[in-house]
Amino acid sequence: EINNVCVDFASRRGPATRAVDNVSLRIAPGEIFGIVGTSGAGKSTLLRTLNALTRPSEGSITVNGTEISALRGAALRQARQRIGMIFQHFNLMHTRTVAQNVAFSLKAAGWERAKIAPRVAEILELVGLSDKANRYPAQLSGGQKQRVGIARAIANHPDVLLCDEPTSALDLETSATILALLKRINEQLGITIVLITHEMNVVKTICDRVAVMSGGKVVEEGEVFNIFAHP
Ligand code: ADP
Ligand code: ADP
């Protein structure tokens, strides 16, 4: 639940930028919710408030009944373990193998050492990368890198997966396979997905509902079918 959220960025010269302007949204468990808009609309800033990478200047954010925007320290780290995130440029660790990238997130989440390798193997199987476990990111295609990003993000059984332009660095065909994987994760694992994109095609392919942002505001919201229906 996003309640009357504003995000202001201070600037040295002139007035602060209001990147998010009084946004309220309810995202239901199990849905794939898209946030669309042109560059600078405030999508990324809004998404980052959902795991408190960015703090609202006003308003509040509740994830799974916990007001994440009010948490600090250990309580915030614990809440973040229920929220995975993937990125346009994957953000993998280049000096670690595929398996080590995934294992790292489990170590950080406090998994017992003996349980990590089997979980890494299971999750790599799920994303179709079992044969790449010992490769380095530089040895992978863009689509494979994003699969590692997804594996890392969902290894710890999150309830929510935040996707920041997940297919914008990929070609059309590869994008389709990544969207299909996200859809499968949503359906099979029941993970709620919040996805930001400037590509309408992405929204039409997998989202249930969508919010359209412009100038920091949500200017339209509803079922994808209704928002993008042509008369
Ligand atoms: P989008 O993701 O839709 O492209 P952003 O959320 O990245 O939009 O940006 C929204 C507005 O906030 C833009 O005007 C951008 O320049 C500004 N902005 C974003 N992040 C920062 C920041 N860390 N510091 C200052 N301004 C920022
Ligand atoms: P580090 O030096 O970063 O600890 P390790 O080589 O010990 O790197 O690997 C970290 C963890 O990654 C291992 O404990 C194991 O759980 C997991 N791991 C590494 N390779 C694989 C693999 N091929 N399949 C499954 N898990 C793996």
Side-chain angles (χ1 to χ4, degrees):
E1 294 187 6
I2 300 170
N3 301 304
N4 301 102
V5 163
C6 297
V7 180
D8 296 324
F9 289 113
S11 83
R12 276 167 195 274
R13 297 166 270 223
T17 303
R18 177 149 282 194
V20 175
D21 189 358
N22 196 26
V23 168
S24 297
L25 292 171
R26 298 277 173 282
I27 299 169
E31 77 177 336
I32 303 185
F33 192 93
I35 299 169
V36 291
T38 53
S39 179
K43 306 181 296 293
S44 176
T45 303
L46 181 64
L47 190 76
R48 290 162 61 88
T49 63
L50 295 179
N51 59 0
L53 284 176
T54 296
R55 300 276 178 182
S57 311
E58 294 173 34
S60 65
I61 315 260
T62 299
V63 180
N64 284 332
T66 302
E67 191 182 332
I68 192 157
S69 51
L71 299 180
R72 294 283 188 282
L76 176 59
R77 282 195 295 277
Q78 196 178 14
R80 275 190 183 140
Q81 282 172 13
R82 317 256 27 100
I83 306 170
M85 188 164 185
I86 64 170
F87 306 89
Q88 177 174 5
H89 296 294
F90 323 120
N91 295 8
L92 303 178
M93 296 181 289
H94 296 284
T95 59
R96 296 181 190 243
T97 65
V98 166
Q100 287 168 349
N101 266 275
V102 179
F104 185 86
S105 72
L106 294 174
K107 282 183 195 168
W111 278 53
E112 245 176 79
R113 198 175 163 76
K115 292 188 174 158
I116 292 179
R119 178 59 178 161
V120 170
E122 180 181 42
I123 209 79
L124 290 181
E125 170 93 45
L126 180 85
V127 302
L129 283 180
S130 298
D131 58 333
K132 303 283 187 252
N134 299 318
R135 299 290 176 87
Y136 287 88
Q139 299 173 299
L140 305 178
S141 69
Q144 289 167 343
K145 285 181 199 167
Q146 192 58 293
R147 286 172 190 273
V148 180
I150 292 169
R152 178 182 59 183
I154 67 172
N156 188 39
H157 303 290
D159 305 305
V160 181
L161 178 62
L162 307 178
C163 307
D164 187 345
E165 299 277 1
T167 61
S168 298
L170 305 175
D171 63 57
L172 224 60
E173 202 178 317
T174 308
S175 294
T177 65
I178 293 299
L179 294 178
L181 177 59
L182 291 174
K183 182 86 187 161
R184 187 153 61 82
I185 282 164
N186 167 259
E187 287 174 350
Q188 285 183 7
L189 307 180
I191 296 176
T192 306
I193 293 181
V194 185
L195 179 152
I196 67 172
T197 181
H198 64 277
E199 300 169 304
M200 294 300 169
N201 185 47
V202 168
V203 169
K204 289 181 187 167
T205 305
I206 64 164
C207 294
D208 304 312
R209 286 195 306 134
V210 62
V212 182
M213 284 189 83
S214 176
K217 294 179 192 295
V218 169
V219 294
E220 221 174 334
E221 184 198 345
E223 308 269 326
V224 170
F225 178 82
N226 292 323
I227 300 278
F228 294 114
H230 294 291

